[in-house]
Amino acid sequence: MNPNDYERECLIKEDRISELPDHIIHDILCFLPIKSAAQTIILSKRWKSLFSSIPDLDFTTMELHTRSSVNSSKDINFINNVFNLRDNNVSIRTLKLKSFVLSSTAFNCLTNYPNIMNIEELEVNLKTREIVNIPSNIINYKSLRVLRLNILCLDFKLTQPLMLKNREFKLLHTMILSQQSFLMFTHHDNRTTLLDIFTDSSFPYLKKLILESCYDLKELNVRCSELKDLVMKDCFELKKLDIYGLKLETLKVENCFDYIGTVKIRIIAPLMKVLKWVDMHSTHIPVLEKFNLLEKAVIGLFPSEVHFNNYFIEPDQIQSWSNMITALSHAKFLKFKFQSIEIFSRNDDKQILVNKFERLRKLNICIEYYRFNGYNNILAIATLFKNSPYLDTLIIKNTLIKCDRSLIICDRKQQLMSDSSDDKFWKSQIPEMRSFLNHLRRVKLKGFLECDKDISLVKFLLQNGKVLEEMILCFEFDSNLRFECQKKIKHMVTRWRRASCKVEVVFK
């Protein structure tokens, strides 16, 4: 036998992929970029049939050309050819389109395809100046389960709204709207509200809702009884948020509220497990009920509209802060970001941190030093320790304002071995912190500063943490000027008496 014929015969015998069932080959093709998958039609008639019946069409894998109109036309032709080649007896399961050139023209063409009615997942990413026309029959797709729309219409007056009154997404469980996509679901004369949209009548089985960068959104009511996850991010103009979710377990809200004027926030979610509430632009406090099942909470409020050196919380705000902390008191993991600790220390922390965190096992706090309170957050930190009797892990991240660095860096090298006023303060707190000190096992201090306050805190925890197992100290970025000071601190820490014989100190 000719060696070439023998090699060809071996290759034919080892073509086991073609022997696989159609649905498995379809799954394999879905892992390929769609243009690579399309090239398989030249292999044989069966492979042509396989591609023409592929249930998932992901055009986001195309490397679209944004400069050449010739190449853009080729992309459009490719998409049209894929649809012309399709077997009309096979429905599309997934359709994903991403284009900043094909814009609404290609999208409108695709959504008019006759067998798209059984689609289960639709993802559209568009940036266009043309008319964006999502066909109204999209809300009649009987099988639609996942809908992702990221549509930025540079002339939003051309956006055609979807009228959802008396309509419903019968099986939709995941919905993601970005940019101006939410405008598709509003009337032209009422673009800034979604008050009557997210209800059981329109979304009876919605479980996950994400709204991102919906800049014109002013008011939002959510009344979906099956909703479990709600994420809102960068909806900067929101003035009213009202959530009633009897099954809601995860709520993440970041940078969503207008920092000028009155903002109304109410949340009722008795099964809440994860809460993230971070706003760099305001200190609007949500009205929360107590979350008895809460596992994790991340809180970060940044009063940027007021110069922080003069910032005091009004009495009603203190009560709002206190109510929020009460709602979080069952959390197992708690993180305070931005100036939350500074807000506590600037005001009467004992009026705000009134509840004990009996279930809290991990505490993560961010500290920012400011001149207005003498760089002193020690009272608020001590209150948190007292109120966390069974804490296992403590993480502290320090941030030092650069312009004030020279005022806080330890400049008393000759007194490193003596007790400071902070040392005396921590010693006076021991009777009220016995439970805290008898349970704390791990401590990590990020951005460890060569200052009295950091040194005193480390000394206190090492000398009184009865079951402490690990202490990690991460210095700030080293410099030649600070290397000697850090070296002395390391030497000093290693010589301190330790309450736990198991504790290991690690410097990074």
Side-chain angles (χ1 to χ4, degrees), residues 54-303:
I54 188 172
D56 302 309
L57 296 177
D58 185 358
F59 294 105
T60 65
T61 60
M62 295 171 56
E63 294 183 2
L64 299 171
H65 305 277
T66 59
R67 296 182 180 179
S68 170
S69 59
V70 174
N71 288 329
S72 298
S73 298
K74 290 181 179 180
D75 290 333
I76 294 175
N77 290 334
F78 171 77
I79 293 178
N80 288 333
N81 289 335
V82 170
F83 275 82
N84 290 332
L85 185 65
R86 284 200 63 80
D87 183 347
N88 290 330
N89 296 317
V90 180
S91 299
I92 298 175
R93 182 173 59 194
T94 301
L95 173 61
K96 297 182 180 181
L97 175 66
K98 178 180 180 181
S99 173
F100 295 98
V101 173
L102 302 180
S103 69
S104 59
T105 302
F107 173 61
N108 294 337
C109 174
L110 297 181
T111 53
N112 287 325
Y113 183 73
N115 284 348
I116 202 173
M117 292 298 292
N118 292 323
I119 192 171
E120 295 181 12
E121 181 175 350
L122 176 63
E123 178 179 334
V124 182
N125 292 270
L126 292 179
K127 181 179 180 181
T128 179
R129 291 184 181 276
E130 303 175 11
I131 294 177
V132 180
N133 180 25
I134 296 182
S136 59
N137 63 357
I138 188 177
I139 58 179
N140 291 324
Y141 290 169
K142 298 178 181 179
S143 302
L144 189 62
R145 287 171 167 79
V146 179
L147 176 62
R148 296 183 179 91
L149 298 180
N150 184 356
I151 298 177
L152 179 59
C153 183
L154 301 180
D155 186 355
F156 70 85
K157 294 179 181 179
L158 298 176
T159 302
Q160 300 297 314
L162 287 171
M163 303 306 177
L164 288 183
K165 191 173 182 180
N166 300 324
R167 305 284 186 93
E168 64 175 329
F169 289 79
K170 295 183 179 180
L171 296 178
L172 191 72
H173 61 72
T174 300
M175 189 174 192
I176 301 172
L177 301 180
S178 301
Q179 303 291 340
Q180 292 170 331
S181 304
F182 77 95
L183 295 178
M184 303 292 177
F185 299 89
T186 62
H187 297 278
H188 281 302
D189 59 349
N190 193 23
R191 289 188 176 280
T192 60
T193 179
L194 289 177
L195 281 177
D196 302 318
I197 299 299
F198 294 111
T199 62
D200 283 337
S201 59
S202 295
F203 300 94
Y205 297 107
L206 188 65
K207 296 184 183 297
K208 183 174 184 178
L209 174 63
I210 298 177
L211 301 175
E212 186 172 1
S213 302
C214 298
Y215 305 124
D216 294 325
L217 181 60
K218 296 290 194 302
E219 299 183 9
L220 176 65
N221 280 0
V222 180
R223 296 288 187 276
C224 297
S225 58
E226 296 296 318
L227 189 66
K228 290 188 175 182
D229 297 313
L230 174 58
V231 178
M232 299 181 63
K233 186 175 181 180
D234 298 334
C235 303
F236 299 115
E237 299 182 31
L238 199 62
K239 289 184 176 292
K240 180 181 178 182
L241 177 62
D242 197 332
I243 300 172
Y244 184 79
L246 295 180
K247 292 186 178 181
L248 189 64
E249 296 180 356
T250 300
L251 174 63
K252 298 181 181 180
V253 180
E254 297 184 58
N255 305 327
C256 282
F257 298 99
D258 191 339
Y259 66 90
I260 299 176
T262 303
V263 174
K264 296 181 180 180
I265 306 169
R266 187 183 67 158
I267 299 169
I268 298 176
L271 300 184
M272 183 80 71
K273 293 182 179 180
V274 178
L275 174 66
K276 183 176 183 179
W277 196 276
V278 176
D279 200 329
M280 294 182 64
H281 306 285
S282 70
T283 54
H284 297 302
I285 309 299
V287 177
L288 307 174
E289 292 191 350
K290 198 167 186 177
F291 300 135
N292 293 324
L293 302 180
L294 192 64
E295 299 284 337
K296 179 178 180 180
V298 178
I299 304 297
L301 299 177
F302 185 94

Side-chain angles (χ1 to χ4, degrees), residues 302-313 339 342-343 345-347 368-377 401 403-404 407:
F302 185 94
S304 60
E305 78 277 14
V306 182
H307 196 274
F308 200 80
N309 286 1
N310 300 318
Y311 188 80
F312 280 97
I313 297 178
Q339 281 100 3
E342 282 65 40
I343 291 175
S345 63
R346 182 62 164 165
N347 300 271
E368 299 190 10
Y369 288 99
Y370 288 90
R371 183 187 291 110
F372 75 82
N373 64 348
Y375 312 101
N376 190 5
N377 301 305
I401 306 303
C403 62
D404 291 336
L407 300 176

Side-chain angles (χ1 to χ4, degrees), residues 465-481:
K466 299 295 180 62
V467 296
L468 199 62
E469 297 175 1
E470 181 181 57
M471 166 130 1
I472 301 176
L473 304 178
C474 304
F475 285 103
E476 278 207 317
F477 181 74
D478 289 340
S479 66
N480 292 332
L481 295 176

